[in-house]
Amino acid sequence: MKAFYILALSLMLSACASNDTGRAVPSVSETSNPVVKNQEPAELYSDRYFVSYANALNQHTENALRSKIAEAKMVEKLETDLAFTFNANQRANVTQLLSSLTDTSITAILAQPGGSWKYVDSDVHTKQQATSYYRFTLDGTFAYYEISWLDGHIVDIFNLFTGVGISDSFDLVIDMEQYRKTHPNSGIQRMGDFFEAVRQASYTEMLFAYNEIPKPFQQKPLVLAGLMKAYINQPSLVMPRSFVVYMEKHQPVHPRFYAYYYDNQQFDLAIECLKRFPETVVKDVRVQVEIGNALYESGQTEKAEDYLVNALLKAPSEPFGYIWLLGLSIDTKQYQQTELILKVLYDRFDTRYSKTDLLTFDRGEEYLNSASYQRYKQYLN
C-alpha cells in the first residue's frame, strides 16, 4: 500500500502546485534581487545569505533546492517535533517517504518555469533553525513559499497560498494509512482519482471523485487546494454542494480562498484571507497592493489609495503598486496622477502603455480623450 500513498501524494502535490491567485496584473519586468558581489561566505541566516539564495533560485531553481536539502536533517527535525526516536527500520521508511515527497514538491515547483524569486524576509529562531520567505512571481500571478532551515539545510518547503508542503503531506500519508486500517472499505483510493482529475483539468470527474472521498478528508488542506486550483482555472465551475455549504457555514479564512471570496465580492473575507499570511509576508508590497485593490473594489477608495501609496513609498522599485494605482487614478479621473505614474513606468521599468493597454482599465476610454493622455503620447515621442 505504501506505493499507492506515494503515488497519491505525488498527484496531490502536482495538482495543487499552482501559484495562480486568480488576480493578474499586466506584465512588467521586475527588479530582481541584487547580485551579491562579495565572494566571502555570507553569515548563516543573515539577510545576505537569504538574498544570495534567491539569486541561486533564479539562476537554477532545481540545483539551488537540491543543494540545500538533506533528508537526514528532515528526519532529525521530524523526530524533534514528535519527541520520538525512530529505530533503524522506521528511519529507513521515513527517509524513503520524505525523499519521494521532496522530489514531488520540487517537480511541482519546476512545472512553473520562467518565474522570478524574490527574498521577502526571515525569522531566525536559534543559531540552528530559521524560516525564510520568498515571493515567486510568474506572468503577473504570485505565490509565497516558506522555507524551513536546520543547520543550513532545508527541512521543509511550504506554499503559503495553497497550504501545501512536505511535512503536512507526510502527516496526510499517516492519516490515510490509519484510516484505511480502520475503514477497509472506505473508498479512500478516490483521493488519487480526485487529484489526477484536477491535474488533468477533468473537472466533471473531479466532482464525482470529491463526493466519494471519505468525509474526514474532504476539508483537508490538500483537497481544498485542489478544489481551489480547479476553481481558479475555471471560475464558472459549479463547486460541490458540500464545499459550498462548508464555505457558507464556516467562512474559513486562508490565502487559498482569496480568489473565491474576491470573485464572489466578499471583499472583507478576501482581505482576511491575505492577512492570514505570516506577519512578515503581509507587510510585503505585493500583499499590501492586493489588499489595496480589494479595498478599492469594495468601494473604500480613499483607504485603498492610502494602502497603494504606502506600498510604493516602502518599495519604490516594485512595479505592482504603480499598476494598481494607475487603474485607480484612471477610474477616479485623477489624470495628473495617471500621467505621472505612466511616465514612471516608462522611465523606470521601460514599460509603455498603448491605447489597447489603457482600454483594459475601467474608464480607460475616457482617459484616452483627456489632455493628460495627449501629453503622455508626446512624452513617449
Side-chain angles (χ1 to χ4, degrees):
M1 291 298 295
K2 183 187 291 185
F4 162 72
Y5 291 121
I6 291 176
L7 174 61
L9 263 295
S10 296
L11 293 171
M12 292 175 195
L13 290 171
S14 61
C16 298
S18 172
N19 73 304
D20 193 342
T21 67
R23 300 291 306 151
V25 297
S27 296
V28 177
S29 59
E30 293 188 64
T31 301
S32 60
N33 292 283
V35 175
V36 179
K37 296 181 180 180
N38 191 340
Q39 297 303 311
E40 295 180 5
E43 180 184 354
L44 186 65
Y45 302 154
S46 65
D47 281 337
R48 191 163 72 88
Y49 180 88
F50 291 125
V51 168
S52 295
Y53 189 64
N55 289 331
L57 286 168
N58 282 317
Q59 290 166 13
H60 199 298
T61 305
E62 183 171 10
N63 285 353
L65 290 171
R66 293 195 182 279
S67 68
K68 294 294 184 180
I69 289 173
E71 282 140 14
K73 289 294 179 180
M74 289 183 168
V75 176
E76 181 182 331
K77 174 80 161 48
L78 190 59
E79 287 181 317
T80 301
D81 292 345
L82 296 174
F84 179 82
T85 301
F86 298 118
N87 61 35
N89 187 52
Q90 291 170 330
R91 181 179 292 273
N93 288 334
V94 168
T95 300
Q96 180 186 356
L97 180 54
L98 286 172
S99 178
S100 297
L101 294 175
T102 299
D103 286 345
T104 305
S105 293
I106 292 175
T107 300
I109 291 172
L110 297 177
Q112 306 166 90
S116 173
W117 295 85
K118 187 176 183 64
Y119 169 60
V120 175
D121 209 337
S122 60
D123 295 318
V124 179
H125 311 297
T126 67
K127 290 183 179 179
Q128 289 75 38
Q129 297 188 56
T131 303
S132 59
Y133 301 97
Y134 292 89
R135 186 205 311 147
F136 178 79
T137 306
L138 177 65
D139 295 334
T141 62
F142 65 102
Y144 288 93
Y145 284 88
E146 176 184 280
I147 299 180
S148 299
W149 300 79
L150 177 62
D151 295 331
H153 297 282
I154 292 175
V155 291
D156 199 6
I157 304 171
F158 191 79
N159 185 322
L160 288 165
F161 250 115
T162 62
V164 175
I166 297 172
S167 59
D168 60 301
S169 301
F170 179 89
D171 293 340
L172 184 57
V173 171
I174 305 303
D175 291 345
M176 290 170 68
E177 173 61 12
Q178 188 63 34
Y179 192 82
R180 183 191 66 81
K181 289 179 178 178
T182 56
H183 301 76
N185 300 314
S186 65
I188 200 168
Q189 70 277 2
R190 290 294 274 165
M191 292 272 283
D193 297 334
F194 169 81
F195 285 102
E196 175 62 13
V198 174
R199 191 176 68 84
Q200 297 286 349
S202 301
Y203 297 137
T204 300
E205 174 59 29
M206 179 202 74
L207 297 177
F208 283 125
Y210 176 81
N211 289 326
E212 295 177 17
I213 291 174
K215 291 190 182 300
F217 291 89
Q218 287 188 345
Q219 272 76 56
K220 289 286 188 180
L222 282 162
V223 175
L224 293 171
L227 281 176
M228 290 313 302
K229 178 177 181 180
Y231 171 80
I232 288 170
N233 289 344
Q234 189 174 313
S236 61
L237 181 70
V238 178
M239 300 296 276
R241 177 62 184 165
S242 58
F243 171 79
V244 174
V245 170
Y246 167 72
M247 295 297 289
E248 290 178 350
K249 183 177 181 180
H250 299 286
Q251 294 189 330
V253 285
H254 185 281
R256 73 171 71 91
F257 300 123
Y258 169 66
Y260 182 86
Y261 288 130
Y262 186 98
D263 290 347
N264 284 280
Q265 298 188 335
Q266 294 175 278
F267 297 114
D268 288 344
L269 286 170
I271 291 170
E272 284 304 309
C273 285
L274 293 177
K275 289 183 177 180
R276 288 304 174 98
F277 281 129
E279 183 179 358
T280 190
V281 173
V282 174
K283 293 178 181 177
D284 184 52
V285 58
R286 190 62 177 87
V287 177
Q288 290 293 298
V289 165
E290 205 71 28
I291 291 173
N293 180 62
L295 286 168
Y296 177 66
E297 292 296 333
S298 70
Q300 301 179 67
T301 304
E302 291 185 8
K303 193 172 182 180
E305 189 165 7
D306 286 343
Y307 258 86
L308 295 174
V309 171
N310 286 335
L312 284 178
L313 292 175
K314 292 177 182 177
S317 63
E318 298 273 15
F320 308 109
Y322 295 99
I323 296 171
W324 286 124
L325 190 58
L326 175 65
L328 184 150
S329 66
I330 291 176
D331 198 32
T332 55
K333 298 185 179 182
Q334 300 181 60
Y335 292 155
Q336 185 174 356
Q337 180 172 271
T338 301
E339 185 179 344
L340 175 61
I341 296 170
L342 286 170
K343 290 177 179 178
V344 170
L345 286 169
Y346 177 70
D347 292 338
R348 184 170 295 178
F349 302 103
D350 194 27
T351 300
R352 62 172 67 204
Y353 276 76
S354 65
K355 282 187 176 181
T356 302
D357 295 327
L358 292 167
L359 285 172
T360 63
F361 293 99
D362 293 338
R363 298 188 177 178
E365 187 172 0
E366 293 180 46
Y367 178 67
L368 293 177
N369 295 322
S370 70
S372 170
Y373 174 65
Q374 298 304 318
R375 289 194 297 271
Y376 172 62
K377 284 202 306 182
Q378 293 175 0
Y379 185 78
L380 294 181
N381 295 328

